[in-house]
Coordinates of all heavy atoms in Angstrom, one line a residue:
M1 N -51.1 20.8 39.7 CA -50.7 21.1 38.3 C -51.7 20.3 37.4 O -52.0 19.1 37.7 CB -49.3 20.7 38.1 CG -48.9 20.8 36.6 SD -47.2 21.4 36.3 CE -47.4 23.1 36.2
A2 N -52.1 20.9 36.4 CA -53.0 20.3 35.4 C -52.3 19.2 34.6 O -51.2 19.4 34.2 CB -53.7 21.3 34.6
T3 N -53.0 18.2 34.2 CA -52.5 17.2 33.3 C -52.5 17.7 31.9 O -53.2 18.8 31.6 CB -53.4 15.9 33.4 OG1 -54.7 16.2 32.9 CG2 -53.5 15.3 34.8
L4 N -51.9 17.0 31.0 CA -51.9 17.5 29.6 C -53.3 17.5 29.0 O -53.7 18.5 28.3 CB -51.0 16.5 28.8 CG -51.0 16.8 27.2 CD1 -50.4 18.2 27.0 CD2 -50.1 15.7 26.5
R5 N -54.1 16.5 29.3 CA -55.4 16.5 28.9 C -56.2 17.7 29.4 O -57.0 18.3 28.6 CB -56.1 15.2 29.3 CG -57.6 15.1 28.9 CD -58.2 13.8 29.5 NE -59.2 13.4 28.4 CZ -59.1 12.2 27.8 NH1 -58.2 11.4 28.1 NH2 -60.0 11.9 26.9
E6 N -56.1 18.0 30.6 CA -56.7 19.2 31.2 C -56.3 20.5 30.6 O -57.1 21.3 30.3 CB -56.5 19.2 32.7 CG -57.2 18.2 33.5 CD -56.7 18.1 35.0 OE1 -55.6 18.4 35.3 OE2 -57.6 17.7 35.8
R7 N -55.0 20.6 30.3 CA -54.5 21.8 29.7 C -55.0 22.0 28.3 O -55.4 23.1 27.9 CB -52.9 21.8 29.7 CG -52.3 21.9 31.1 CD -50.8 22.2 31.0 NE -50.1 21.2 30.2 CZ -49.5 20.1 30.6 NH1 -49.6 19.8 31.9 NH2 -48.8 19.4 29.8
K8 N -55.1 20.9 27.5 CA -55.7 21.0 26.2 C -57.2 21.4 26.3 O -57.7 22.1 25.5 CB -55.5 19.7 25.5 CG -54.1 19.5 25.0 CD -53.9 18.2 24.2 CE -52.6 18.0 23.6 NZ -52.5 16.8 22.8
T9 N -57.9 20.8 27.2 CA -59.3 21.1 27.4 C -59.5 22.6 27.8 O -60.3 23.3 27.2 CB -59.9 20.2 28.5 OG1 -59.8 18.9 28.1 CG2 -61.3 20.6 28.8
Y10 N -58.6 23.1 28.7 CA -58.7 24.5 29.1 C -58.5 25.4 27.9 O -59.2 26.4 27.7 CB -57.7 24.9 30.1 CG -57.9 24.2 31.5 CD1 -56.8 23.9 32.3 CD2 -59.2 23.7 31.9 CE1 -57.0 23.3 33.5 CE2 -59.3 23.1 33.1 CZ -58.3 22.9 33.9 OH -58.4 22.2 35.1
R11 N -57.5 25.1 27.0 CA -57.2 25.9 25.9 C -58.5 25.9 24.9 O -58.8 27.0 24.4 CB -56.0 25.4 25.1 CG -54.7 25.5 25.9 CD -53.6 24.7 25.2 NE -52.5 24.5 26.1 CZ -51.6 23.5 26.0 NH1 -51.7 22.7 24.9 NH2 -50.7 23.4 26.8
A12 N -59.0 24.8 24.7 CA -60.2 24.7 23.8 C -61.4 25.4 24.4 O -62.1 26.1 23.6 CB -60.5 23.2 23.5
Q13 N -61.6 25.3 25.7 CA -62.7 26.0 26.3 C -62.5 27.5 26.2 O -63.5 28.3 26.0 CB -62.8 25.6 27.8 CG -63.3 24.2 28.0 CD -63.3 23.8 29.5 OE1 -62.5 24.3 30.3 NE2 -64.1 22.9 29.8
V14 N -61.3 28.0 26.4 CA -61.0 29.5 26.3 C -61.4 30.0 24.9 O -62.1 31.0 24.7 CB -59.6 29.8 26.7 CG1 -59.2 31.2 26.3 CG2 -59.4 29.6 28.2
L15 N -60.9 29.3 23.9 CA -61.1 29.7 22.5 C -62.6 29.7 22.2 O -63.2 30.6 21.6 CB -60.4 28.7 21.5 CG -58.9 29.0 21.4 CD1 -58.3 27.9 20.5 CD2 -58.6 30.3 20.8
Q16 N -63.3 28.6 22.6 CA -64.8 28.5 22.4 C -65.5 29.6 23.1 O -66.4 30.2 22.5 CB -65.3 27.1 22.8 CG -66.7 26.8 22.3 CD -66.9 26.8 20.8 OE1 -66.1 26.3 20.1 NE2 -67.9 27.4 20.4
A17 N -65.2 29.8 24.3 CA -65.9 30.9 25.1 C -65.7 32.2 24.5 O -66.6 33.0 24.4 CB -65.4 30.8 26.6
L18 N -64.5 32.5 24.1 CA -64.2 33.8 23.4 C -65.0 34.0 22.1 O -65.5 35.0 21.9 CB -62.7 33.9 23.1 CG -61.8 34.4 24.3 CD1 -60.3 34.3 23.9 CD2 -62.1 35.8 24.7
Y19 N -64.9 32.9 21.3 CA -65.6 33.0 20.0 C -67.1 33.2 20.2 O -67.7 34.0 19.5 CB -65.3 31.7 19.3 CG -65.9 31.6 17.9 CD1 -65.4 32.5 16.9 CD2 -66.9 30.8 17.5 CE1 -65.9 32.5 15.6 CE2 -67.4 30.7 16.3 CZ -66.9 31.6 15.3 OH -67.4 31.6 14.0
E20 N -67.7 32.5 21.2 CA -69.1 32.6 21.4 C -69.5 34.0 22.0 O -70.4 34.6 21.6 CB -69.6 31.5 22.3 CG -69.6 30.2 21.7 CD -70.0 29.0 22.6 OE1 -70.3 29.3 23.8 OE2 -69.9 27.9 22.2
A21 N -68.7 34.5 22.9 CA -69.0 35.7 23.6 C -68.8 36.9 22.7 O -69.5 37.9 22.8 CB -68.1 35.9 24.8
T22 N -67.8 36.8 21.8 CA -67.5 38.0 20.9 C -68.2 37.8 19.5 O -68.0 38.7 18.7 CB -66.0 38.2 20.7 OG1 -65.5 37.0 20.1 CG2 -65.3 38.4 22.0
E23 N -68.8 36.7 19.3 CA -69.4 36.4 18.0 C -68.3 36.6 16.8 O -68.7 37.1 15.8 CB -70.6 37.2 17.7 CG -71.7 36.9 18.7 CD -73.0 37.8 18.5 OE1 -72.9 38.7 17.8 OE2 -74.0 37.4 19.2
G24 N -67.1 36.2 17.1 CA -66.0 36.3 16.1 C -65.6 37.7 15.8 O -65.0 37.9 14.7
N25 N -65.8 38.6 16.7 CA -65.4 40.0 16.4 C -64.1 40.4 17.1 O -64.1 40.3 18.4 CB -66.6 41.0 16.9 CG -66.3 42.4 16.6 OD1 -65.2 42.8 16.4 ND2 -67.4 43.2 16.5
R26 N -63.1 40.7 16.4 CA -61.8 41.0 17.0 C -61.8 42.3 17.9 O -60.9 42.5 18.7 CB -60.8 41.3 15.9 CG -60.2 40.1 15.2 CD -59.1 40.4 14.3 NE -58.0 41.0 15.0 CZ -56.9 41.5 14.4 NH1 -56.8 41.5 13.1 NH2 -56.0 42.0 15.1
L27 N -62.8 43.1 17.7 CA -62.8 44.4 18.4 C -63.4 44.2 19.8 O -63.4 45.1 20.7 CB -63.7 45.4 17.7 CG -63.1 45.8 16.3 CD1 -64.0 46.8 15.6 CD2 -61.7 46.3 16.4
L28 N -64.0 43.0 20.1 CA -64.6 42.7 21.4 C -63.7 41.8 22.2 O -63.0 40.9 21.6 CB -66.0 42.1 21.2 CG -67.0 42.9 20.5 CD1 -68.3 42.1 20.3 CD2 -67.3 44.2 21.2
G29 N -63.7 41.9 23.5 CA -62.9 41.1 24.3 C -63.8 40.6 25.5 O -64.9 41.0 25.7
V30 N -63.2 39.7 26.3 CA -63.8 39.2 27.5 C -62.8 39.3 28.6 O -61.6 39.1 28.5 CB -64.2 37.7 27.3 CG1 -64.7 37.1 28.5 CG2 -65.1 37.5 26.1
A31 N -63.4 39.8 29.7 CA -62.6 39.9 30.9 C -62.1 38.6 31.4 O -62.8 37.6 31.4 CB -63.4 40.6 32.1
G32 N -60.8 38.5 31.8 CA -60.2 37.3 32.3 C -61.0 36.7 33.5 O -61.2 35.5 33.6
S33 N -61.5 37.6 34.3 CA -62.2 37.1 35.5 C -63.5 36.5 35.1 O -64.0 35.5 35.7 CB -62.5 38.3 36.5 OG -63.2 39.3 35.8
R34 N -64.1 37.0 34.0 CA -65.4 36.3 33.5 C -65.1 35.0 32.9 O -65.8 34.0 33.1 CB -66.0 37.2 32.4 CG -67.2 36.6 31.8 CD -67.9 37.5 30.8 NE -68.9 36.8 30.0 CZ -69.3 37.2 28.8 NH1 -69.0 38.3 28.4 NH2 -70.2 36.4 28.2
L35 N -64.0 34.9 32.1 CA -63.6 33.5 31.6 C -63.4 32.6 32.7 O -63.8 31.4 32.7 CB -62.3 33.7 30.7 CG -62.5 34.2 29.3 CD1 -61.1 34.3 28.7 CD2 -63.3 33.3 28.5
R36 N -62.6 33.0 33.7 CA -62.3 32.1 34.9 C -63.6 31.6 35.5 O -63.7 30.5 35.8 CB -61.4 32.9 35.9 CG -61.0 32.1 37.1 CD -60.4 32.9 38.2 NE -61.5 33.8 38.7 CZ -61.4 35.1 38.9 NH1 -60.2 35.7 38.7 NH2 -62.4 35.8 39.3
D37 N -64.5 32.6 35.8 CA -65.7 32.2 36.5 C -66.6 31.4 35.6 O -67.2 30.4 36.1 CB -66.5 33.5 37.0 CG -65.7 34.2 38.0 OD1 -64.7 33.7 38.6 OD2 -66.0 35.4 38.3
D38 N -66.8 31.7 34.4 CA -67.7 31.0 33.5 C -67.2 29.6 33.2 O -68.0 28.7 33.1 CB -67.9 31.7 32.1 CG -68.7 33.0 32.2 OD1 -69.3 33.3 33.3 OD2 -68.8 33.7 31.2
L39 N -65.9 29.4 33.1 CA -65.4 28.1 32.8 C -65.0 27.3 34.0 O -64.7 26.1 33.9 CB -64.1 28.3 31.9 CG -64.4 29.0 30.5 CD1 -63.1 29.2 29.8 CD2 -65.4 28.1 29.7
G40 N -64.9 28.0 35.2 CA -64.6 27.3 36.4 C -63.1 26.8 36.4 O -62.8 25.7 36.9
I41 N -62.3 27.6 35.8 CA -60.8 27.3 35.7 C -60.1 28.1 36.8 O -60.4 29.3 37.0 CB -60.3 27.7 34.3 CG1 -61.0 26.9 33.2 CG2 -58.8 27.5 34.2 CD1 -60.6 27.3 31.8
H42 N -59.1 27.4 37.4 CA -58.3 28.1 38.4 C -57.5 29.2 37.7 O -57.1 29.1 36.5 CB -57.3 27.2 39.1 CG -58.0 26.2 40.0 ND1 -58.6 26.6 41.2 CD2 -58.2 24.9 39.8 CE1 -59.1 25.5 41.7 NE2 -58.9 24.4 40.9
E43 N -57.2 30.3 38.4 CA -56.5 31.4 37.8 C -55.2 31.0 37.1 O -54.8 31.5 36.0 CB -56.3 32.5 38.8 CG -56.0 33.9 38.2 CD -56.2 35.0 39.3 OE1 -57.4 35.1 39.7 OE2 -55.2 35.6 39.6
E44 N -54.4 30.2 37.8 CA -53.1 29.7 37.3 C -53.3 29.0 36.0 O -52.5 29.1 35.0 CB -52.4 28.9 38.3 CG -52.1 29.5 39.6 CD -53.3 29.5 40.5 OE1 -54.1 28.6 40.4 OE2 -53.3 30.3 41.4
D45 N -54.3 28.1 35.9 CA -54.6 27.3 34.7 C -55.1 28.2 33.6 O -54.7 28.0 32.4 CB -55.6 26.2 35.0 CG -55.0 25.2 35.9 OD1 -53.8 24.9 35.9 OD2 -55.8 24.6 36.7
L46 N -55.9 29.2 33.9 CA -56.3 30.2 32.9 C -55.1 30.9 32.3 O -55.0 31.1 31.1 CB -57.4 31.1 33.4 CG -57.8 32.2 32.5 CD1 -58.5 31.6 31.2 CD2 -58.8 33.2 33.2
A47 N -54.3 31.4 33.2 CA -53.1 32.1 32.7 C -52.2 31.2 31.8 O -51.7 31.7 30.8 CB -52.3 32.6 33.9
A48 N -52.0 30.0 32.2 CA -51.2 29.1 31.4 C -51.9 28.8 30.0 O -51.2 28.8 29.0 CB -51.0 27.7 32.1
A49 N -53.2 28.6 30.0 CA -53.9 28.4 28.7 C -53.7 29.7 27.9 O -53.5 29.6 26.7 CB -55.4 28.1 29.0
C50 N -53.9 30.8 28.5 CA -53.8 32.1 27.7 C -52.4 32.3 27.2 O -52.2 32.7 26.0 CB -54.2 33.3 28.5 SG -56.0 33.4 28.8
T51 N -51.4 32.0 28.0 CA -50.0 32.1 27.5 C -49.7 31.2 26.3 O -49.1 31.7 25.4 CB -49.1 31.8 28.7 OG1 -49.3 32.7 29.8 CG2 -47.6 31.9 28.3
Y52 N -50.2 30.0 26.4 CA -50.0 29.1 25.3 C -50.7 29.6 24.0 O -50.1 29.6 22.9 CB -50.6 27.7 25.6 CG -50.4 26.7 24.6 CD1 -49.3 25.9 24.5 CD2 -51.4 26.5 23.6 CE1 -49.1 24.9 23.5 CE2 -51.2 25.6 22.5 CZ -50.1 24.8 22.5 OH -49.9 23.9 21.5
L53 N -52.0 30.0 24.2 CA -52.7 30.5 23.0 C -52.2 31.8 22.4 O -52.2 32.0 21.2 CB -54.2 30.7 23.4 CG -54.9 29.4 23.8 CD1 -56.3 29.7 24.4 CD2 -55.1 28.5 22.6
V54 N -51.6 32.7 23.2 CA -50.9 33.8 22.7 C -49.7 33.4 21.9 O -49.5 33.9 20.8 CB -50.4 34.8 23.9 CG1 -49.4 35.8 23.4 CG2 -51.6 35.5 24.5
G55 N -49.0 32.4 22.4 CA -47.8 31.9 21.7 C -48.2 31.3 20.3 O -47.4 31.4 19.4
E56 N -49.4 30.8 20.2 CA -49.8 30.2 19.0 C -50.4 31.3 18.1 O -50.8 31.0 16.9 CB -50.9 29.1 19.2 CG -50.3 27.9 19.9 CD -49.4 27.1 19.0 OE1 -49.7 26.8 17.9 OE2 -48.2 26.9 19.5
G57 N -50.5 32.5 18.6 CA -51.1 33.6 17.7 C -52.6 33.6 17.6 O -53.2 34.2 16.7
L58 N -53.3 32.9 18.5 CA -54.7 32.7 18.5 C -55.5 33.8 19.3 O -56.7 34.0 19.0 CB -55.1 31.3 18.9 CG -54.5 30.2 18.0 CD1 -54.9 28.8 18.6 CD2 -55.0 30.3 16.6
I59 N -54.9 34.3 20.3 CA -55.5 35.3 21.2 C -54.5 36.4 21.5 O -53.3 36.2 21.4 CB -56.1 34.7 22.5 CG1 -55.0 34.2 23.4 CG2 -57.1 33.6 22.2 CD1 -55.5 33.8 24.8
A60 N -55.0 37.5 22.0 CA -54.2 38.6 22.5 C -54.7 38.8 24.0 O -55.9 38.7 24.2 CB -54.4 39.8 21.7
V61 N -53.8 39.1 24.9 CA -54.1 39.3 26.3 C -53.5 40.6 26.8 O -52.4 40.9 26.5 CB -53.6 38.1 27.1 CG1 -53.9 38.3 28.6 CG2 -54.2 36.8 26.6
D62 N -54.4 41.3 27.5 CA -53.9 42.5 28.3 C -53.7 41.9 29.7 O -54.7 41.4 30.3 CB -54.9 43.6 28.3 CG -55.0 44.3 27.0 OD1 -54.0 44.3 26.2 OD2 -56.1 44.8 26.7
W63 N -52.5 41.9 30.2 CA -52.2 41.2 31.5 C -52.3 42.2 32.6 O -51.9 43.4 32.5 CB -50.8 40.6 31.5 CG -50.6 39.5 30.5 CD1 -50.1 39.7 29.2 CD2 -51.0 38.2 30.6 NE1 -50.2 38.4 28.6 CE2 -50.7 37.5 29.4 CE3 -51.5 37.4 31.7 CZ2 -50.9 36.1 29.3 CZ3 -51.8 36.1 31.5 CH2 -51.5 35.4 30.3
A64 N -52.8 41.8 33.7 CA -52.9 42.5 35.0 C -51.7 42.1 35.8 O -51.0 41.2 35.5 CB -54.2 42.3 35.7
T65 N -51.5 42.7 37.0 CA -50.4 42.3 37.8 C -50.6 40.9 38.3 O -51.7 40.4 38.4 CB -50.4 43.2 39.1 OG1 -51.6 43.2 39.7 CG2 -50.0 44.7 38.7
G66 N -49.5 40.2 38.5 CA -49.5 38.8 38.9 C -49.8 37.9 37.8 O -50.3 36.7 38.0
N67 N -49.5 38.3 36.5 CA -49.7 37.5 35.4 C -51.2 36.9 35.3 O -51.4 35.8 35.0 CB -48.7 36.3 35.3 CG -47.3 36.8 35.1 OD1 -47.1 37.8 34.4 ND2 -46.4 36.2 35.7
T68 N -52.1 37.8 35.5 CA -53.5 37.5 35.4 C -54.1 38.1 34.2 O -53.9 39.3 34.0 CB -54.3 38.1 36.7 OG1 -53.7 37.5 37.8 CG2 -55.7 37.7 36.6
P69 N -54.8 37.3 33.3 CA -55.4 37.9 32.2 C -56.5 38.9 32.6 O -57.5 38.6 33.2 CB -56.0 36.7 31.4 CG -55.4 35.5 32.0 CD -55.0 35.9 33.4
A70 N -56.3 40.2 32.1 CA -57.3 41.2 32.4 C -58.4 41.3 31.3 O -59.6 41.3 31.6 CB -56.7 42.6 32.6
M71 N -57.9 41.3 30.1 CA -58.8 41.3 28.9 C -58.3 40.3 27.9 O -57.1 40.4 27.6 CB -59.0 42.7 28.4 CG -60.0 42.8 27.2 SD -61.7 42.4 27.6 CE -62.1 43.6 28.9
V72 N -59.1 39.5 27.3 CA -58.7 38.5 26.3 C -59.5 38.7 25.0 O -60.7 38.8 25.1 CB -58.9 37.1 26.8 CG1 -58.3 36.1 25.9 CG2 -58.3 37.0 28.2
T73 N -58.8 38.7 23.9 CA -59.5 38.9 22.6 C -58.9 37.8 21.6 O -57.8 37.4 21.7 CB -59.3 40.3 22.0 OG1 -57.9 40.5 21.9 CG2 -59.9 41.3 22.8
L74 N -59.8 37.5 20.7 CA -59.3 36.6 19.6 C -58.5 37.4 18.6 O -58.9 38.5 18.3 CB -60.5 35.9 18.9 CG -61.2 34.8 19.6 CD1 -62.5 34.5 18.9 CD2 -60.3 33.6 19.6
T75 N -57.5 36.8 18.0 CA -56.8 37.4 16.9 C -57.5 36.9 15.6 O -58.4 36.1 15.6 CB -55.3 36.9 16.8 OG1 -55.3 35.5 16.6 CG2 -54.6 37.3 18.1
H76 N -57.1 37.5 14.5 CA -57.6 37.1 13.2 C -57.4 35.6 13.0 O -58.3 34.9 12.5 CB -56.9 37.9 12.1 CG -57.5 37.6 10.7 ND1 -58.7 38.0 10.3 CD2 -56.9 36.9 9.7 CE1 -58.9 37.5 9.0 NE2 -57.8 36.8 8.7
Q77 N -56.2 35.1 13.3 CA -55.9 33.7 13.2 C -56.8 32.9 14.0 O -57.3 31.8 13.6 CB -54.4 33.5 13.5 CG -54.0 32.1 13.2 CD -52.5 31.9 13.5 OE1 -51.7 32.9 13.6 NE2 -52.0 30.7 13.5
G78 N -57.1 33.3 15.2 CA -58.0 32.6 16.2 C -59.4 32.5 15.6 O -60.1 31.5 15.7
I79 N -59.9 33.6 15.0 CA -61.2 33.6 14.5 C -61.3 32.7 13.3 O -62.2 31.9 13.2 CB -61.6 35.1 14.0 CG1 -61.7 35.9 15.3 CG2 -62.9 35.1 13.2 CD1 -61.8 37.4 15.0
R80 N -60.3 32.7 12.5 CA -60.2 31.8 11.3 C -60.3 30.3 11.7 O -61.0 29.5 11.2 CB -59.0 32.0 10.4 CG -59.1 33.4 9.7 CD -58.0 33.6 8.8 NE -58.0 32.6 7.7 CZ -57.0 32.2 6.9 NH1 -55.9 32.8 7.1 NH2 -57.1 31.3 6.0
L81 N -59.5 30.0 12.8 CA -59.5 28.6 13.3 C -60.9 28.2 13.8 O -61.4 27.2 13.5 CB -58.5 28.5 14.4 CG -58.5 27.1 15.2 CD1 -58.0 26.0 14.3 CD2 -57.7 27.2 16.5
M82 N -61.5 29.1 14.6 CA -62.8 28.8 15.1 C -63.9 28.7 14.1 O -64.8 27.9 14.1 CB -63.2 29.8 16.2 CG -62.3 29.9 17.4 SD -62.1 28.2 18.2 CE -63.7 27.9 18.7
E83 N -63.8 29.6 13.0 CA -64.7 29.5 11.9 C -64.6 28.2 11.2 O -65.6 27.6 10.8 CB -64.6 30.7 11.0 CG -65.1 32.0 11.6 CD -64.8 33.2 10.7 OE1 -64.0 33.1 9.8 OE2 -65.5 34.2 11.0
A84 N -63.3 27.7 11.0 CA -63.1 26.5 10.3 C -63.7 25.3 11.1 O -64.3 24.4 10.5 CB -61.6 26.3 10.0
E85 N -63.5 25.3 12.4 CA -64.1 24.3 13.2 C -65.6 24.3 13.2 O -66.2 23.3 13.2 CB -63.6 24.4 14.7 CG -62.1 24.1 14.8 CD -61.6 24.2 16.3 OE1 -62.4 24.4 17.2 OE2 -60.4 24.0 16.5
E86 N -66.2 25.5 13.2 CA -67.6 25.6 13.1 C -68.2 25.1 11.8 O -69.2 24.4 11.7 CB -68.1 27.1 13.3 CG -69.5 27.3 13.3 CD -69.9 28.7 13.6 OE1 -69.0 29.6 13.7 OE2 -71.1 29.0 13.6
E87 N -67.4 25.3 10.7 CA -67.8 24.8 9.4 C -67.8 23.3 9.3 O -68.6 22.6 8.7 CB -67.0 25.4 8.3 CG -67.3 26.9 8.0 CD -66.4 27.5 6.9 OE1 -65.3 26.9 6.6 OE2 -66.8 28.5 6.4
E88 N -66.7 22.7 10.0 CA -66.6 21.3 10.0 C -67.8 20.6 10.7 O -68.2 19.5 10.4 CB -65.3 20.9 10.7 CG -64.1 21.1 9.8 CD -62.8 20.7 10.6 OE1 -62.8 20.0 11.6 OE2 -61.7 21.1 10.1
R89 N -68.2 21.3 11.8 CA -69.3 20.7 12.6 C -70.7 20.8 11.8 O -71.6 20.1 12.1 CB -69.4 21.4 13.9 CG -68.4 21.0 14.9 CD -68.6 21.6 16.3 NE -68.7 23.0 16.3 CZ -67.7 23.8 16.7 NH1 -66.5 23.3 16.9 NH2 -67.9 25.1 16.7
G90 N -70.7 21.8 10.9 CA -71.9 21.9 10.1 C -72.8 22.9 10.6 O -73.5 23.4 11.1

């Protein structure tokens, strides 16, 4: 089981990877398997991160059998959060 620090890191990585891959476009998504492979996250940890981010209204997920993220997209709220973070970084 992942520690709290790891879980927070996974969530941030998922958001950042989605934002970069979709260039902030709500109409584009990323396959869960691609996120898992690109980020090197165990499937259970990816599912937990996605579940949390869905609950926060930051992403939307199409789930496959076994509670596996099949397709993941940013919501409007998720895009706004990532844009605000990008502006802060300059």
Side-chain angles (χ1 to χ4, degrees):
M1 173 146 270
T3 65
L4 176 60
R5 176 184 218 120
E6 290 170 328
R7 290 191 310 266
K8 286 183 173 185
T9 299
Y10 296 153
R11 295 170 196 158
Q13 288 175 334
V14 168
L15 284 173
Q16 187 64 41
L18 278 172
Y19 185 66
E20 289 174 5
T22 63
E23 297 178 350
N25 186 337
R26 282 187 62 188
L27 301 177
L28 300 177
V30 176
S33 58
R34 178 177 164 197
L35 282 175
R36 181 194 65 225
D37 294 345
D38 288 354
L39 299 175
I41 297 175
H42 292 290
E43 199 162 296
E44 301 83 22
D45 293 327
L46 177 62
C50 287
T51 299
Y52 181 91
L53 295 169
V54 166
E56 293 295 306
L58 301 174
I59 67 171
V61 177
D62 292 330
W63 296 96
T65 57
N67 292 327
T68 303
M71 184 60 63
V72 186
T73 57
L74 284 169
T75 63
H76 181 73
Q77 186 174 347
I79 293 168
R80 290 184 64 200
L81 173 70
M82 296 308 296
E83 287 176 346
E85 288 182 8
E86 185 176 1
E87 285 178 344
E88 285 178 16
R89 287 190 299 265

